[in-house]
Amino acid sequence: AQTVTQSQPEMSVQEAETVTLSCTYDTSESDYYLFWYKQPPSRQMILVIRQEAYKQQNATENRFSVNFQKAAKSFSLKISDSQLGDAAMYFCAYRPYSGAGSYQLTFGKGTKLSVIP
Amino acid sequence: EPEVTQTPSHQVTQMGQEVILRCVPISNHLYFYWYRQILGQKVEFLVSFYNNEISEKSEIFDDQFSVERPDGSNFTLKIRSTKLEDSAMYFCASSRDRDYEQYFGPGTRLTVT
């Protein structure tokens, strides 16, 4: 079974600074997807960024980028130029490639990010 | 921008009662999902639904749970006889196709007393 581990229950960052959230996962699959979701206090989860395991290039989305290390099974999220609106719970999630017949997301426990003005 | 919507936002029910949680997925999406998050714990997958049938379910999704797409727009989760441990936030999600991102609704907080 796949597992996703986020070892940092809480993090804080000064506004305009950079912060990195950690995520590790365990799988025996070679093809899969990894995601970071953001859950603001209103509690609707929003997709931040997605990475396909077969792609060596790290995904980026504006101020958000990932460091994907497939051999180490590590998938960290870097937020640059942090803004007050980035304060939220961040979830790392894994999903197998659909050819495996499963579409379910497996989530980590989340990291609560606070942004200090 | 289209969104997944869920009603009600909060439901309180007594143990043993039946509840129906409702979701309206994004209109051109074909895959639908339910997840739940017990307070302080991980978000857990319950079930996925495609072409009017369950395509995958977890161990949590036992006989007291059922899903339905009754009218082509709504997607419902029924809990037949609620237990205290069913208290959780229930999230509906949808995706355009199986390899596309899942978009989540705001959730329904279910409190079983």
Side-chain angles (χ1 to χ4, degrees):
Chain A
Q2 293 83 15
T3 58
V4 177
T5 302
Q6 292 179 251
S7 58
Q8 306 151 316
E10 294 188 30
M11 293 276 288
S12 61
V13 62
Q14 205 79 31
E15 198 176 1
E17 296 295 307
T18 295
V19 65
T20 299
L21 309 183
S22 301
C23 173
T24 58
Y25 59 94
D26 189 28
T27 182
S28 57
E29 304 289 334
S30 58
D31 289 330
Y32 48 87
Y33 303 94
L34 295 164
F35 305 87
W36 279 98
Y37 279 88
K38 170 185 176 182
Q39 190 181 34
S42 65
R43 302 193 65 86
Q44 182 153 14
M45 267 191 288
I46 305 163
L47 179 68
V48 174
I49 200 163
R50 155 188 168 140
Q51 175 81 44
E52 290 88 345
Y54 67 85
K55 288 186 178 178
Q56 292 188 332
Q57 188 172 6
N58 289 322
T60 63
E61 194 71 42
N62 300 315
R63 298 182 294 107
F64 299 87
S65 61
V66 298
N67 184 3
F68 172 49
Q69 302 288 329
K70 191 173 184 179
K73 295 180 182 172
S74 168
F75 182 61
S76 60
L77 175 70
K78 185 171 85 170
I79 306 174
S80 304
D81 185 25
S82 297
Q83 300 175 359
L84 295 177
D86 295 333
M89 187 72 96
Y90 285 82
F91 292 99
C92 179
Y94 164 99
R95 209 203 80 196
Y97 173 60
S98 61
S102 174
Y103 324 129
Q104 65 174 279
L105 289 165
T106 300
F107 286 88
K109 275 193 148 182
T111 297
K112 184 178 180 182
L113 178 67
S114 302
V115 180
I116 304 163
Chain B
E1 187 174 329
E3 289 184 337
V4 176
T5 59
Q6 291 184 243
T7 53
S9 57
H10 189 195
Q11 172 109 36
V12 181
T13 189
Q14 289 191 326
M15 197 167 49
Q17 295 296 304
E18 174 184 287
V19 293
I20 298 175
L21 310 183
R22 290 183 168 79
C23 168
V24 179
I26 295 173
S27 62
N28 63 344
H29 285 190
L30 301 176
Y31 287 78
F32 314 112
Y33 314 85
W34 284 101
Y35 292 82
R36 80 172 186 191
Q37 185 181 28
I38 295 172
L39 190 62
Q41 297 188 24
K42 292 185 180 186
V43 177
E44 302 170 292
F45 169 79
L46 293 178
V47 66
S48 61
F49 191 85
Y50 169 71
N51 199 26
N52 279 320
E53 59 183 33
I54 291 173
S55 49
E56 188 179 12
K57 62 182 181 179
S58 71
E59 291 176 353
I60 304 167
F61 194 88
D62 60 22
D63 291 343
Q64 69 160 343
F65 290 94
S66 61
V67 288
E68 194 178 31
R69 188 156 162 82
D71 57 12
S73 62
N74 289 283
F75 178 52
T76 62
L77 173 69
K78 182 192 290 186
I79 309 175
R80 206 178 332 274
S81 176
T82 51
K83 305 171 192 167
L84 293 176
E85 54 264 38
D86 293 328
S87 294
M89 194 75 156
Y90 287 81
F91 293 103
C92 174
S94 69
S95 63
R96 191 176 359 155
D97 201 342
R98 60 186 187 182
D99 283 324
Y100 283 75
E101 290 82 0
Q102 295 179 23
Y103 290 83
F104 283 79
T108 292
R109 178 167 298 285
L110 177 65
T111 302
V112 182
T113 61

